[in-house]
Amino acid sequence: MDFAVRRLYEGTGHVDYIKFSFPWSNLFSANVQLELDGLYVLLGPINDRPYEEKKDHDLENAIKQAKLRAFEQSTLQSVADQAAKNPGFFEKLGKYILNNIQITIRNVHIRYEDSITNGDYSFAVGAMLQSFTVHTTNDRWEESEADSSATILHKLGSLTDLSVYWNHYVQEADLVGKKKRLQSHVWKNLLKQSISTNRIREESFNHILRPVTVKAKVIMNNEDNFMMPRIYVEFSLPDIMCCFSRHQYLNLLKWIDASRRVQINRRYRKYHPNTPVRFNRKAWWHYAYTAIVEEVIRPHQWTRVIKHRKSVVRYGKMYKTHLEYPDNKTLQEDLKKLEADMDLCNIIAAREQAKLQFVAEAPERARKKIKERRELEKANQGWFSWILGGATVEPDVEIEVDTEEDWLHSLSEEERHELYRGVGYDENSQEDTMPKEYIAYKMQLRLKNVSLTLENYSKPILKMTLSDMLTSYENRPGGNGARVLSHTESFTIEGASVDYKLVSLLTSNSNIYSTDSQMFTLDYELRPLSIHADQSLKLNVRPVEIFYDQHAVSQILMFLQVPIDSPQVDINAIAREKLMDMVEYSRTTLLYAIEQQSTFHISVHMKSPYIVIPQKGTLHQGGNLLICDLGNFTVESDLLQKDNVPLHNATISELQAHLYDKFLFKISDVKVLLADSEEEWDMAQKNPNSEFHILPSTGLDIAFYKSVLNNNQQPQQKFDAMLQSLTLNVTDVQIVTLNNFIRNFPVPTTSTSTIDAMDVPPPQPDWRHIQMEMDTKQLKRMRRSILSRLTIDLAEPILEEPAVTNISHSTLDSAKPGNRRSIEADTDTYYSASDDSEDEMDKWSSYRKVKAVDDYITDNNRMQMFMRASIGEIVIQVSLEQNHQRREYLMFRLDGFTADMAYTVWIDRNKVIPCGIAFHARLRGIGMADKLHRGATGAYLDLLQTESENELISICYRQVKPECPDFGPVFKNIEHGATLTFNNLSIMFDQTGVCYLKKFLEDLRARMYPKKDTLDDNPFAGQSSMIDSSIVRLRSTRGSRGSRSSRTSRTSVTEKLKSIIQEGGPSSLIKIHVITCVHDISLHLRNVETKFSELHIKDLEGQFIARAKKMTFNCRLQKFFVKDLTPDTLYPNILEIGTDENPFFDLKVEQFKSDGMTRRLSRRSTEPLDYYARLHIGQLQVAFINKFFWEITRFFEPLKSPELSDVAYRTKESVSKQMMEITPATVRVALVVKAHIPTVVVPQHSQSRDLFFVKFGNLEVWNQFERKEVRDTGMSQEWNHFSAKLTSMQISKGKLLEDNATFVVLHHLVEPVNFTASFSLALAPFVADIVYDVSGELNLVKVNMLETDMKLVMDIMKQNFGEGAPSTKPDLAKPSSMKPTSTMDSSVTVIQHDLDTPTTPEVMPGTPYNAVVTLQGLVLCLYEETNGTTSSIEVAVSRFKGQGLLVKVKDFKRNIVLLEKKRS
């Protein structure tokens, strides 16, 4: 008997012999026999033949109808529904059919040949079966006749020599599907002979699945004594061997790519020219043109659109009529005719819309199928059955139609009773209730040995073996329960060594831990009997050993690597898609479990594997080993017993504990060892700590809480991870060994041989521009979207700008464009750079605190999920090793790290709106100690410590979505808010300890990177040359693509922040708000017990606000001081900045967006600003003690290194170069500065009480923009005017009193003097004759000097400036690098320069500028003292007075300097 096979692939088939024996005369006592001998099927791609309109049109309709049937209720589902209504009868019927049927099938061969995929050569895939039999046996499993009266029946099924082969290359002469052989029926004989010979002519089969035999034993129990299962099935598989070669793998990739192309080509086959391109190029161009016009352009013509819509509407009406009269055959034929010219998308859309219309017209005949299904699952089947039935429940509308009755009710009463009597069913008897513990159905699968081998050029490169596996399934209908039990004894993975011998990569035969007979045991139970839970899972895993072998891993990677000229089938994308399907399946399953409020008991005990990584790539070559022991993994559940929960006197914590089921995950005994392969590391691995342990035994505890209530009043899920302690013990020798281990680690190679490249693949299609028919998943999604309109509205209202309604009128008014201030110097009292009446939201007090994670904020704003991670301590200990003896050296300690994160939602009337996330991390303290050096008390030498009892570092972050109703009133319109708080930290800079640390690091670096490797591997050595070469490369590639990419990589974080800011929004929206606060950081300089100095930074605060229109940065420093701790010093306060009342440093900078939005404007300019800056500098006092500075220099002298100096110099040069490239003429910056210039105390020497006060006064700087008309041009020039005013500069003589805390001013050497200056800068485009205009005026300078003052000046220069300085004298013979300056006449001096002569670096040659400086005069008076003790001034010795010095500098075509002295 011949038959044809047509769908995506086309083929032919043949059956030698078939017999079906059905004893109608003795229906209930004789056997039903099915015999089939010689089934041969030959398949091939449909593109193998030319297009035939009738045949291909029928094929398309067959595919379309098959997909449509997938949406209807399947026959299996119909039988299952009927069986659920009458389970007793169908159970009896099933047993009768299984007992009486006899099946014998022999000689089956199905083969697929493809000559299209690979182009130049063919491949073949086939499956063969020698025999399949099902017979009735006795209790000794010997074949016998069926006994209908027996209570226990035996059935034996046997599957003999089932195999699958894949021949990646088949010669033309060995093809079975050649046209001549198909016509002469030779192909049938070839397929038949190959079953026994495993070859076709010269082609030997390359088996993927080698011949395997499977036996199934079935025992059926007809007694109702509940002593043994009603049906018991046991499958036995002795050996299963699978082998897959690289050529087969590449062939599979090409076939997958070809299958996708077949799917694409299906709709264009009717236009195919059926001739090669090289023979008729014109026909192929016509083919491309016709395909695009007919499939892309013409379907959108109006006439076709109207025709299409009429056809869809007509189909919808006819289908609605079909729902009312489903047995109308004529109507069914008319529907199929219309479906032949419609695509699946329109057919399904029309059907579902017709169903909705039918439901609206006849609601009494429609019901929600999904509701009944869920109720049935919840009552009877449970979660496990739901998993078997599918991951998602598709919404559907089930229509009750008047159709013919099923086959059982169509029988007459007499026929139905005869059927009941034949199968042994009594319809009047009541079904016995089964006990809950009774196992009615049991199935077992025994696998003796299963192996999978990967081969490359007939050499095995990977072999996986699973031995002695037993899996069983048990069903308890009485308790609606089920159980799955599986265990195996061993599992191994072997890889190919260098000589292609198999070596162990993974083995379960471990003898380190206690032995266990089973390597893996899984026990899952639905509705368990011994545990009060809906589900139970128990898992035990024995540890395995994993060994790294470079050659074996390289061979595996080379096997999976795809050649460049092979079809680009993205295996990763396919695996990622399957993984996402699994994730979606798991997520839906979890949501279903949460919705059904099911409880899950878990008990998992896994002794995780340990990994051995050899330094030389294999264990056989020796060297060092890195052993990573992943420890033990256990999971235990603590389920809440809902029936016995006394809550009448419970506390709040007890109430919260009774709201959650608890699951405990514990990871223990995690260890990392570093040892030589010759050492006894395997014995040391058993211990928690040893000399080989880098990471001693540690563990991690994770608790997961699941709420038993669904009222949204507490987090539905909570995670709590706790790491008690993490300790790292390393020596200097181990650090060097680890460095060499990493540097010389044998990385697997992935180069592939060119032999794999067999041909040039066709160009890859662009899937974005290919019209593909919807698959089943997409069609179901479309149907779901149509049906969801009737039942549920998933769309949530989106607020356009919810925050605007929650802002006060003052804030909105201040944001209007009309309320703008001019930028100029303030004449009123100045308080802070952060004060600004325009933006009251920028005040520091408004954002001092970000809402904590555990804060519920409001009654409606709740946490949906809460997570916490805690680390008790992290300790890193470094020891020195010499002659196998260890000495403890450094210990770094981190204490009390905790991080919380929560996902928040807004809830109102069962309406849930996502609000955002909250994060809070904190660190209690850090410390570092030098255990090698000790102080006078014998304690360790502390290098770093935390002095505060509070948290050292605290970080809070909260992201709130603008759609949240609490966005405005509670969160102040802040979308991303963060605070960083840094408390007290002390850094002990001990000279002895730091110098020893420097020597230790230099020695360690020299051992890690020897001199011979300096230029190759050492990143520290040769740093200067590398920096020079990098600068040369930067200069040579400026503006190139490489430099642009490097800048892009450096500014990726900045670009990400800019993208957040540039998203836009209302003016009241704050995109980012960050606050930082550093309370106290101190640096102590000492040498063991001798203290030199200390430095303190107190209350350093910063604030960053990013709005849609501007960014604001605030920074201020409250206090900063440097103290001299040398004994008996008279001046301990070397540097003292700020006071407790007023901050020293207060800065505010605003950057405005350049897209034309609202920005601050100056008074006389219409151009917007780019930046606005205000700076306030407070009190500052400096004691100039040269001895102190020299002592600090000598303190740091041992730490100097050429590398650090070179890096610092290069960094300074780079910064200077970038600053020189800034063009201020293109940036508009508004600047306001108010500063107290430092007061300097200069004593005679460090132990003298005589001193000078140098007070530089107060400085004010501001600027404004102005546009002026240029004379005789009719054009205007915009100027940026800078103004500066320095007041109250003076020098006084003073004295330090005996209390060492009070200074007394005796008299003023230089009386207060003022200086004013202005600087104007022309902005582009330049119209004026000059670019820079500078003017300044210094008021009259009065100097009063005594004889003692002159002496004190000379003593300061000799004693203070020379105190503590090194004894070396300068080399007087060395010429000075200073160039002599030009002398000036007392009257007028004119100095003319050529145009090529370089001028000052601030003004470029040829730049027009103008400068005028006026000195009002100088008065110098010399006095002699009448009483040295009081320093009173009585007699003037000499007086000098000079007035009217004017300095002018102009440059138009040449540089001119003009000095003019009026009188003196």
Side-chain angles (χ1 to χ4, degrees), residues 533 609 651 705 1165 1168 1349:
T651 62
Y705 300 87
S1165 175
D1349 298 339

Side-chain angles (χ1 to χ4, degrees), residues 923-927 944-954 981-988 1077-1084 1095-1100:
L923 177 65
R924 189 168 63 246
I926 59 176
L944 189 68
Q945 67 180 8
T946 304
E947 297 180 351
S948 176
E949 296 181 356
N950 298 326
E951 298 167 347
L952 175 63
I953 301 175
S954 177
T981 304
F982 201 101
N983 287 318
N984 300 346
L985 176 66
S986 298
I987 303 174
M988 308 300 175
C1077 181
V1078 179
H1079 289 297
D1080 188 1
I1081 296 181
S1082 60
L1083 174 64
H1084 302 265
L1095 178 147
H1096 280 269
I1097 299 176
K1098 289 190 175 183
D1099 296 332
L1100 175 63

Side-chain angles (χ1 to χ4, degrees), residues 1359-1394:
Q1359 299 178 10
N1360 191 345
F1361 291 0
E1363 185 178 13
S1367 59
T1368 57
K1369 296 182 180 180
D1371 189 1
L1372 300 179
K1374 184 178 179 179
S1376 175
S1377 61
M1378 301 292 293
K1379 294 182 179 180
T1381 58
S1382 300
T1383 59
M1384 295 182 295
D1385 198 317
S1386 60
S1387 59
V1388 178
T1389 302
V1390 178
I1391 302 176
Q1392 179 174 344
H1393 301 278
D1394 295 333

Side-chain angles (χ1 to χ4, degrees), residues 223 269 364 386 447 522 811 1086 1185 1250 1260 1289 1316 1442:
E223 296 182 353
R269 269 177 52 82
E364 70 281 355
W386 174 75
L447 295 176
L522 171 67
T811 306
R1086 66 183 185 183
I1185 310 296
D1250 297 327
E1260 294 185 11
M1289 294 185 297
T1316 59

Side-chain angles (χ1 to χ4, degrees), residues 1127-1155:
D1128 301 329
T1129 181
L1130 294 179
Y1131 304 94
N1133 297 323
I1134 301 298
L1135 177 63
E1136 192 171 8
I1137 295 176
T1139 61
D1140 295 335
E1141 292 80 15
N1142 299 317
F1144 158 71
F1145 180 88
D1146 199 335
L1147 172 67
K1148 178 178 181 179
V1149 179
E1150 292 181 330
Q1151 180 186 6
F1152 304 97
K1153 296 184 67 174
S1154 59
D1155 55 356

